[in-house]
Amino acid sequence: MSKALLIIDVQNAILRGKGTPERQPLLEAALDDTIGRLRVLQDKARSAGVPVVVIQHDGPEGHRLAVGTEGWEVRPELAPQAGDVLVRKKSSDSFHETDLGARLGELGVSHLVVGGCMTQFCVDTTVRRAASLGYDVTLVADGHTTADSAHLAHVDIIAHHNETLDGFGAGDAEVDVRPAAQISF
């Protein structure tokens, strides 16, 4: 089974303005911690010759992730390097109207290790779609993050999705949720 590391929407402005003035620094610190763990996995994957796929969301004009703006750029810590695959998308589903599936097919990938932003939108949608398409998925439990919602703190959203997605299956494909420290390539 050939793996690939899939990093979703870790862009400069992904959390910009998503929290209250009191909560925004906590959200940004959580993002920095998540990026640190994803960077370790990215380095491990590259060292093992495992494909690294970076997903970049293309927001419309005026959006915090508007194409071509500083906010749209992938965070430098996780920016694609030579040999990595960059896939741009316009919806929460990284497979929808993109060449992600074709690129993974060319690489012979059958198992995705997934992390990134935003937990309840792009991460959740992509993980479920990947399983529905027949990919086994390892969701990095401490490798995805989001902003607070009106009713839940970001840590509660993350915990809920880790619990909900662990064991999610579609046919023979299944989602396994585990911390970054327990993931090898």
Side-chain angles (χ1 to χ4, degrees):
M1 162 176 351
S2 179
K3 289 183 182 177
L5 175 63
L6 185 68
I7 299 174
I8 302 170
D9 297 353
V10 184
Q11 294 166 250
N12 287 330
I14 193 67
L15 295 179
R16 192 172 290 159
K18 299 301 284 179
T20 64
E22 300 78 29
R23 295 285 298 165
Q24 191 68 38
L26 297 171
L27 298 174
E28 296 292 342
L31 176 60
D32 289 343
D33 290 345
T34 300
I35 288 171
R37 288 184 287 277
L38 290 174
R39 177 59 193 252
V40 169
L41 288 176
Q42 195 178 53
D43 290 343
K44 284 183 182 179
R46 287 180 180 135
S47 293
V50 169
V52 172
V53 180
V54 177
I55 306 294
Q56 183 176 29
H57 189 87
D58 288 349
E61 189 175 327
H63 188 271
R64 70 186 189 284
L65 302 178
V67 175
T69 66
E70 175 274 337
W72 167 78
E73 294 172 6
V74 174
R75 284 280 298 254
E77 305 95 311
L78 298 174
Q81 295 181 2
D84 291 348
V85 175
L86 176 65
V87 174
R88 294 171 55 184
K89 67 176 182 61
K90 293 182 180 180
S91 72
S92 292
D93 179 351
S94 297
F95 290 92
H96 180 71
E97 296 181 353
T98 72
D99 65 350
L100 178 58
R103 303 292 295 274
L104 295 174
E106 292 167 4
L107 295 167
V109 171
S110 59
H111 186 139
L112 298 174
V113 177
V114 178
C117 301
M118 306 264 291
T119 297
Q120 72 276 37
F121 302 116
C122 301
V123 172
D124 178 83
T125 304
T126 299
V127 165
R128 290 174 189 268
R129 178 77 185 276
S132 295
L133 292 171
Y135 296 95
D136 284 313
V137 177
T138 300
L139 175 61
V140 186
D142 52 357
H144 61 98
T145 195
T146 192
D148 298 338
S149 73
H151 301 286
L152 295 172
H154 72 284
V155 294
D156 296 322
I157 296 168
I158 293 164
H160 168 78
H161 281 79
N162 284 343
E163 180 181 334
T164 301
L165 291 171
D166 194 29
F168 175 85
D172 292 332
E174 189 169 321
V175 178
D176 178 40
V177 179
R178 63 176 64 182
Q182 293 179 10
I183 296 172
S184 58
F185 295 99

